[in-house]
Amino acid sequence: MIIGTVIVAAGRGERAGSPEEGPKQYRPIGGEPVIRRTLREVLNWPRRGPVVAVIHPDDESLFASACAGLSGASDLHITHGGSTRQQSVLSGLRRLRDSEATHVLIHDAARPFLDHALLDRVAGAWEAGLAAVIPALPVTDTLKRATPAAMIEDTVPRNGLWAAQTPQGFVLADILSAHEAAFRSGRSDFTDDASIAEWAGMPVHLVEGSADNVKLTLKRDIAMADEKLSRQPLIPDVRTGNGYDVHQLVPGDGVTLCGVFLAHDQALRGHSDADVALHALTDALLATCGAGDIGDHFPPSDPQWKGAPSRIFLAHAAKIVRQNGGIITNADVSIIAEAPKIGPHRQAMRQNLSDILEISIDRCSIKATTNETIGFVGRREGIAAIATATVVYGAITP
């Protein structure tokens, strides 16, 4: 199966604004012509074969400018369209007839938001044995039939009604034959290629369309597409801060870690309660908004902090984060010590972090490891802690 594509781009787009603005398929959205976006998606599809662009004879320079520098543009085959879409499609199919294509996708240039997933669904239906396939979405609006005087005659049941999209896919020889027959019969009132296939007695199947695959018809449609593509996307401003602290062990009766006193034959030396874990986490939080470190806010030379509980420092850092618009989403502390054992106290430590930071306990993590008797920690000369804090500060534009 070799898949050719016909891109229909010969229309004048009378409903899309004044003629001075040019055909709608060449108007810019997101800084580039509509047709360029459409062609790029088709040309970059791994399964595509020959591609025919059907353009108006007056648009050759517009088309060349729209395609300038586009990857794969040198593979395009160009032909001129007629006064109706039906005539333009027939011209494209005739041009494709001389290629190696066995199947064809017929797509409107004014649908620039098609994607590879949609193309794959149509090709997948062919592989499942179907010959004629169109993407469509179920009709969700209530439909009314009205008189010429704009009076409602009745409500049309929407069960079983679908809104057809492109690209519509067919066996090339079948749809070309159907188009030729319609041309010979003088019929020119078909609104899409599936309706010609139906008229020729071909069964046509539906695959799931795409809500994004809209057709740009009115000037307002083009303006909305341009706004959508030109709008700077917002991404979450997620920041991660790291903190590290170490305190010396001296003879004593216990250590305080994450606000929990653990009986031990040593104590941690420090100006405050020497809670190495909370000190590291304090630095991690301050780092997320560039607010310095713990020593900048609580200098060890200040006597008022002698013996102070380190939860004061952590609560202060959390307050600074919130004043800067931050939301604390995670706090993780790794304690590095040979002794005492942390495991029996882990839950109490996590609860303390939850209370101080005012976040749920599932966002608080405490881990512990030894230093395998290596270095100052291994010799029980000190305890170290490494902390990581994650804070979200709203959103930013890239």
Side-chain angles (χ1 to χ4, degrees):
M1 180 170 63
I2 298 176
I3 304 171
T5 305
V6 171
I7 302 295
V8 189
R12 301 291 82 194
E14 289 86 355
R15 290 180 288 174
S18 64
E20 289 76 17
E21 295 178 273
K24 63 184 178 182
Q25 60 269 33
Y26 297 104
R27 297 198 200 160
I29 55 171
E32 61 182 353
V34 170
I35 193 171
R36 184 181 179 90
R37 294 187 59 86
T38 305
L39 287 170
R40 182 170 57 241
E41 198 68 21
V42 172
L43 290 170
N44 289 339
W45 186 42
R47 303 191 61 178
R48 66 96 173 167
V51 180
V52 174
V54 185
I55 66 173
H56 193 280
D58 296 340
D59 294 345
E60 289 192 0
S61 60
L62 282 173
F63 184 80
S65 175
C67 296
L70 184 63
S71 176
S74 59
D75 297 336
L76 286 169
H77 304 278
I78 311 300
T79 190
H80 292 156
S83 59
T84 66
R85 182 186 185 279
Q86 186 176 328
Q87 292 173 357
S88 294
V89 172
L90 178 56
S91 177
L93 293 174
R94 286 171 173 171
R95 182 68 175 83
L96 199 61
R97 175 177 52 196
D98 299 327
S99 73
E100 68 274 24
T102 59
H103 292 67
V104 60
L105 295 168
I106 304 171
H107 186 64
D108 296 322
R111 289 185 185 268
F113 297 113
L114 80 162
D115 55 35
H116 289 179
L118 181 60
L119 296 171
D120 287 338
R121 285 198 290 276
V122 176
W126 281 329
E127 291 169 338
L130 305 180
V133 187
I134 71 167
L137 293 175
V139 172
T140 56
D141 292 330
T142 297
L143 301 177
K144 304 291 184 181
R145 182 180 288 109
T147 67
M151 293 291 294
I152 294 175
E153 286 185 338
D154 65 306
T155 298
V156 179
R158 64 189 179 200
N159 293 339
L161 294 182
W162 295 74
Q165 299 182 335
T166 67
Q168 299 186 354
F170 309 90
V171 173
L172 176 56
D174 292 347
I175 194 63
L176 177 56
S177 176
H179 263 277
E180 294 283 15
F183 174 73
R184 290 192 300 269
S185 71
R187 289 288 303 272
S188 60
D189 57 334
F190 296 105
T191 56
D192 71 347
D193 304 290
S195 59
I196 293 179
E198 298 159 33
W199 171 78
M202 297 165 53
V204 182
H205 298 266
L206 302 178
V207 296
E208 180 187 359
S210 168
D212 293 330
N213 185 31
V214 295
K215 186 176 182 181
L216 307 184
T217 302
L218 306 176
K219 184 174 182 178
R220 180 173 179 271
D221 299 333
I222 299 171
M224 291 178 66
D226 181 52
E227 181 184 1
K228 172 184 175 180
L229 293 171
S230 302
R231 189 186 306 126
Q232 285 282 4
L234 295 179
I235 60 174
D237 184 7
V238 180
R239 307 182 193 178
T240 302
N242 295 313
Y244 172 82
D245 197 26
V246 60
H247 280 273
Q248 182 183 11
L249 281 168
V250 296
D253 61 355
V255 298
T256 298
L257 296 171
C258 289
V260 178
F261 183 79
L262 285 68
H264 188 47
D265 58 2
Q266 291 177 295
L268 287 168
R269 174 179 288 173
H271 185 63
S272 62
D273 63 1
D275 190 332
V276 63
L278 293 191
H279 292 182
L281 185 55
T282 298
D283 277 351
L285 282 173
L286 294 172
T288 65
C289 56
D293 61 25
I294 191 171
D296 296 324
H297 298 268
F298 304 98
S301 58
D302 190 336
Q304 69 172 311
W305 307 121
K306 183 174 179 59
S310 294
R311 65 183 299 123
I312 295 174
F313 309 153
L314 184 60
H316 179 74
K319 180 180 179 181
I320 290 175
V321 165
R322 294 190 178 99
Q323 287 174 340
N324 281 273
I327 300 173
I328 302 169
T329 60
N330 184 255
D332 177 42
V333 179
S334 294
I335 300 170
I336 309 163
E338 298 296 320
K341 294 292 185 182
I342 304 300
H345 309 281
R346 180 179 286 111
Q347 194 65 14
M349 293 178 177
R350 294 179 65 213
Q351 187 62 57
N352 278 347
L353 295 188
S354 174
D355 294 342
I356 298 168
L357 300 177
E358 299 178 11
I359 61 177
S360 59
I361 195 169
D362 64 295
R363 298 180 181 274
C364 303
S365 171
I366 302 293
K367 305 188 298 293
T369 186
T370 70
N371 222 38
E372 301 293 341
T373 71
I374 301 170
F376 73 89
V377 172
R379 295 190 296 271
R380 302 195 181 197
E381 295 173 359
I383 293 178
I386 300 172
T388 302
T390 304
V391 180
V392 178
Y393 288 87
I396 58 174
T397 55

